[in-house]
């Protein structure tokens, strides 16, 4: 484990950061103040392995030192993050994590990863088994396998309202004034629910291909869904139908963008980054797609990145760095009970460094925010 005090100091540098908008300059008597978007590092959520009784934790890659530390939550709190954390975000001065196996929502300080509050969900049928977290304005939204989305007030750090969606909702996105929630129904779902952020009520369900598990949105407000498809018992249980589709929010047919099993669409971007590695396939492909191409065609462009058994992909919305996490191989197969790794690349695919992380590196997010510079 790396020196915790070093990483506490590094992360504290971003404690006052807020959500990113465009850079701006303000001219005042005596000089000009520039407010720049800045990213200080990467937060990787390791979901551990419940079968091997390995709880989840965080790894942090820090840009300044080009180094990584793992086991940070346990080091800061003298307890583990819990069983099978599924998603985490850096939002404002805090980190919010959906810990599915332990049925908790962990809220930690961005500055030192110490727990601020742990929301226990056991015993409530409407608020059960958190899966994803996403923030906007004064609220953080949590999808729950109970078939609901909960809203956390970031001032009180308490759930103030819930709304019913479909069964087994997964990774959400926000576009404009709406939240989009894919309802996987544990492999059989065919809907994405639209929720009004103003009223926090479901406004409609949008029909999509089978098994939707992730929604993302681009800089123009378009919404896309990634589906996991199905496993064909008559063909060796090979995974089929895993792809990304652009949604028609007015009820038209979704338009296929590309086959993919992992995707990342950075905030404020029109470029989708993807990995296609369906179960049973012999080849892994990595590519990006310009979603705003003038000819309207979705043309995958190969990415010169790679990993043994990809677990997650993330792209820094400020500097464009690509982070690809992976399981290590054991006798040619992905090992789900030993520490994995993360490969970092510049946006053009130039390799930067391989970092050792924790067990099951399932989610990538970034320490981004604003920095004031006097010109």
């Amino acid at each position: 484990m790396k020196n915790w005090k070093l990483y506490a100091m590094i992360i504290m540098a971003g404690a006052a950061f807020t959500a990113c908008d465009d850079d701006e300059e303000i001219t005042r008597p005596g000089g000009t103040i520039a407010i720049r978007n800045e990213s200080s590092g990467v937060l990787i959520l390791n979901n551990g392995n419940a079968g091997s009784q390995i709880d989840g934790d965080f790894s942090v890659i820090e840009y300044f030192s080009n180094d990584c530390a793992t086991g940070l939550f346990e080091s800061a709190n003298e307890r583990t993050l819990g069983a099978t954390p599924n998603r985490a975000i850096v939002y404002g001065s805090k980190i919010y994590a959906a810990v599915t196996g332990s049925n908790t929502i962990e809220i930690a300080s961005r500055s030192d990863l110490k727990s601020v509050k742990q929301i226990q969900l056991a015993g409530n049928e409407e608020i059960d088994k958190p899966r994803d977290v996403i923030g906007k304005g004064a609220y953080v939204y949590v999808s729950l396998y109970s078939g609901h989305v909960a809203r956390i007030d970031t001032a009180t750090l308490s759930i103030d309202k819930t709304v019913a969606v479909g069964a087994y909702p997964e990774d959400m996105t926000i576009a404009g004034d709406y939240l989009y929630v894919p309802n996987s129904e544990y492999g059989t779902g065919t809907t994405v629910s639209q929720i009004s952020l103003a009223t926090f009520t479901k406004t409609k369900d949008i029909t999509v291909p089978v098994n939707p598990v992730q929604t993302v949105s681009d800089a123009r407000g378009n919404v896309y869904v990634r589906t996991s498809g199905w496993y064909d018992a008559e063909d060796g249980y090979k995974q089929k139908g895993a792809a990304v589709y652009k949604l028609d929010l007015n009820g038209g047919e979704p338009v296929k963008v590309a086959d993919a099993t992992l995707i990342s669409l950075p905030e404020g971007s029109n470029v989708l980054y993807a990995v296609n590695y369906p179960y049973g396939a012999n080849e892994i492909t990595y590519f990006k797609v310009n979603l705003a191409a003038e000819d309207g065609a979705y043309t995958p462009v190969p990415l010169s990145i790679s990993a043994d058994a990809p677990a997650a992909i993330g792209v820094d919305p400020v500097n464009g760095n690509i982070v690809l996490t992976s399981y290590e191989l054991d006798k040619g197969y992905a090992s789900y009970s030993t520490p994995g790794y993360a490969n970092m690349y510049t946006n053009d695919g130039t390799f930067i460094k391989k970092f050792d992380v924790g067990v099951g590196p399932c989610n990538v997010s970034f320490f981004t925010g604003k920095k004031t510079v006097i010109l």
Side-chain angles (χ1 to χ4, degrees):
M1 184 183 299
K2 302 293 184 182
N3 188 315
W4 164 250
K5 292 183 179 179
L6 168 65
Y7 282 84
M9 292 172 61
I10 290 166
I11 298 170
M12 283 181 69
F17 284 171
T18 57
C20 293
D21 294 309
D22 292 337
D23 294 349
E24 58 182 310
E25 294 185 2
I26 302 173
T27 301
R28 294 177 177 175
T32 300
I33 297 174
I35 302 175
R36 306 293 193 202
N37 291 327
E38 184 174 88
S39 182
S40 60
V42 186
L43 179 72
I44 295 175
L45 177 64
N46 308 297
N47 65 11
N49 184 293
S52 299
Q53 297 183 328
I54 301 171
D55 283 347
D57 212 317
F58 295 121
S59 297
V60 172
I61 299 172
E62 192 274 315
Y63 287 147
F64 179 78
S65 68
N66 199 28
D67 208 349
C68 181
T70 295
L72 301 183
F73 184 89
E74 185 172 4
S75 177
N77 296 283
E78 298 183 350
R79 65 173 174 85
T80 68
L81 182 59
T84 321
N86 195 63
R87 288 290 181 271
I89 57 168
V90 183
Y91 191 67
S93 63
K94 297 177 178 64
I95 296 170
Y96 297 80
V99 189
T100 309
S102 293
N103 208 10
T104 60
I105 300 167
E106 190 69 57
I107 305 172
S109 168
R110 172 181 178 151
S111 64
D112 56 14
L113 295 187
K114 289 185 177 179
S115 177
V116 176
K117 185 173 184 178
Q118 185 187 68
I119 302 176
Q120 299 278 349
L121 303 182
N124 189 326
E125 292 184 357
E126 287 192 3
I127 310 174
D128 190 60
K129 292 292 186 290
R131 293 294 292 176
D132 185 40
V133 284
I134 189 170
K136 184 175 183 180
Y139 298 101
V140 167
Y141 303 91
V142 185
S143 63
L144 303 137
Y145 259 8
S146 58
H148 296 78
V149 174
R151 188 176 72 179
I152 297 174
D153 186 321
T154 58
T156 64
L157 299 183
S158 299
I159 294 173
D160 69 351
K161 196 171 183 181
T162 62
V163 59
V165 286
Y168 294 96
E170 295 280 2
D171 295 0
M172 306 173 289
T173 194
I174 292 173
D177 297 324
Y178 294 95
L179 177 69
Y180 294 88
V181 188
N183 303 306
S184 72
E185 295 188 22
Y186 218 64
T188 62
T190 56
T191 63
V192 168
S193 294
Q194 182 191 69
I195 296 173
S196 166
L197 296 180
T199 61
F200 201 55
T201 56
K202 185 171 78 169
T203 52
K204 64 182 176 182
D205 285 327
I206 302 165
T207 301
V208 299
V210 70
N211 200 5
V213 294
Q214 182 181 5
T215 51
V216 293
S217 51
D218 65 21
R220 301 167 300 163
N222 296 309
V223 179
Y224 304 80
V225 62
R226 177 174 67 86
T227 61
S228 273
W230 66 96
Y231 297 86
D232 191 343
E234 296 182 357
D235 192 16
Y237 288 96
K238 289 182 179 179
Q239 185 179 7
K240 298 181 179 180
V244 182
Y245 297 84
K246 179 183 177 182
L247 299 187
D248 184 333
L249 302 182
N250 295 317
E253 288 292 319
V255 176
K256 185 175 178 179
V257 175
D259 294 325
T261 54
L262 296 172
I263 61 172
S264 176
L265 181 49
E267 182 179 0
S269 173
N270 289 316
V271 179
L272 179 79
Y273 298 78
V275 179
N276 191 40
Y277 186 34
Y279 180 78
N282 296 319
E283 182 183 11
I284 310 173
T285 57
Y286 307 87
F287 58 92
K288 61 183 178 181
V289 180
N290 179 8
L291 301 173
E294 291 184 5
D295 59 4
Y298 297 121
T299 305
V301 177
L303 284 172
S304 55
I305 64 177
S306 65
D308 292 309
I313 186 171
V315 180
D316 192 313
V318 177
N319 60 33
N321 284 350
I322 302 170
V323 178
L324 178 67
T325 69
S326 177
Y327 303 100
E328 290 280 9
L329 295 184
D330 181 11
K331 298 178 181 179
Y333 295 93
S335 173
Y336 299 108
S337 59
T338 56
Y341 64 90
N343 285 338
M344 184 181 292
Y345 304 84
T346 63
N347 196 253
D348 65 3
T350 301
F351 179 73
I352 297 175
K353 189 175 180 179
K354 176 181 177 180
F355 300 91
D356 294 328
V357 295
V359 177
C362 66
N363 181 217
V364 179
S365 51
F366 298 89
F367 291 99
T368 60
K370 294 290 190 179
K371 180 179 181 180
T372 302
V373 179
I374 300 176
L375 301 180

